[in-house]
Amino acid sequence: VSTLPFSLPKTRMGEEGLLNRVFTRRALMTTIANLSLADFPWVLTLSAQNEVETGYLDEAKLSNMVAASFVARVAQPNLGYLITFAPDAAYDSPNLKWFVERATKFIYVDRIVIAAHARGQGIARTLYEELFIAAAEAGFSEVTCEVNSDPPNPVSDKFHAALGFLPVGSATLPNGKTVTYMSRPLRE
């Protein structure tokens, strides 16, 4: 995958937003854009289809997440989405709190969900690559996430390892899920 042909703004991405970008991967034409209210119906449907991996999401929670996010992006048409947070975000998550207790200059990936028919097309990688650039330009030193250990998510484990994420801890959440916390340093 080549580097992006533009520089991303140094502000929180929800304010002015990232540029819309069109790319073609293995016959899929995709536009990457900011997650907007018009995307909510399909994002909620996609989230419900992946609830075991990502947890429950309703319209009110999605609205609050987008408002508090560092980056909230979609791959159009209706192919996937990414929602991330800075450490000071007004977002109540045990996973974000875990990282806040251990680090200061990070961006936390709360959700990245790609439609089943669009997986393996480079969409998640492209969303992450944009995030890595935006986070580095905003002065953050790492991108963090969690991946389910129980129930296991081996596809996500493999994907994140290929992007350079390393395990940095684990926890059992109040809902009974066990997660592995991961971090990827950003190179300057």
Side-chain angles (χ1 to χ4, degrees):
V1 178
S2 62
T3 58
L4 299 176
F6 55 85
S7 177
L8 300 174
K10 294 183 181 182
T11 62
R12 286 191 183 263
M13 298 303 106
E15 294 170 8
E16 291 299 319
L18 301 173
L19 300 175
N20 288 350
R21 187 162 80 87
V22 177
F23 69 96
T24 304
R25 296 276 183 147
R26 298 184 193 168
L28 273 182
M29 180 68 96
T30 304
T31 300
I32 304 294
N34 288 331
L35 197 160
S36 71
L37 187 58
D39 299 308
F40 278 31
W42 72 263
V43 166
L44 290 169
T45 298
L46 184 58
S47 182
Q49 294 166 353
N50 294 274
E51 191 171 318
V52 169
E53 295 84 9
T54 62
Y56 178 74
L57 184 63
D58 61 25
E59 186 172 347
K61 183 174 180 179
L62 178 58
S63 181
N64 290 335
M65 290 173 76
V66 171
S69 70
F70 173 73
V71 168
R73 301 284 278 162
V74 293
Q76 292 283 9
N78 307 359
L79 299 175
Y81 69 94
L82 167 77
I83 302 175
T84 69
F85 299 96
D88 62 349
Y91 179 58
D92 185 29
S93 158
N95 298 315
L96 176 60
K97 287 178 185 176
W98 190 93
F99 285 108
V100 166
E101 292 170 358
R102 290 160 179 82
T104 57
K105 296 188 64 123
F106 67 91
I107 293 299
Y108 165 67
V109 175
D110 186 80
R111 293 167 191 257
I112 183 160
V113 181
I114 306 300
H117 72 277
R119 293 181 187 153
Q121 306 296 315
I123 295 167
R125 178 175 290 276
T126 299
L127 288 167
Y128 262 115
E129 287 172 350
E130 283 193 356
L131 174 62
F132 296 153
I133 291 168
E137 288 191 356
F140 294 97
S141 60
E142 64 184 316
V143 171
T144 64
C145 68
E146 92 281 342
V147 176
N148 291 347
S149 308
D150 185 23
N153 193 341
V155 173
S156 187
D157 289 334
K158 184 178 176 182
F159 171 75
H160 284 91
L163 286 177
F165 282 85
L166 299 172
V168 294
S170 63
T172 300
L173 303 177
N175 64 7
K177 284 185 183 179
T178 302
V179 297
T180 299
Y181 293 112
M182 304 181 90
S183 175
R184 181 197 186 270
L186 298 172
R187 290 152 187 78
E188 299 195 16

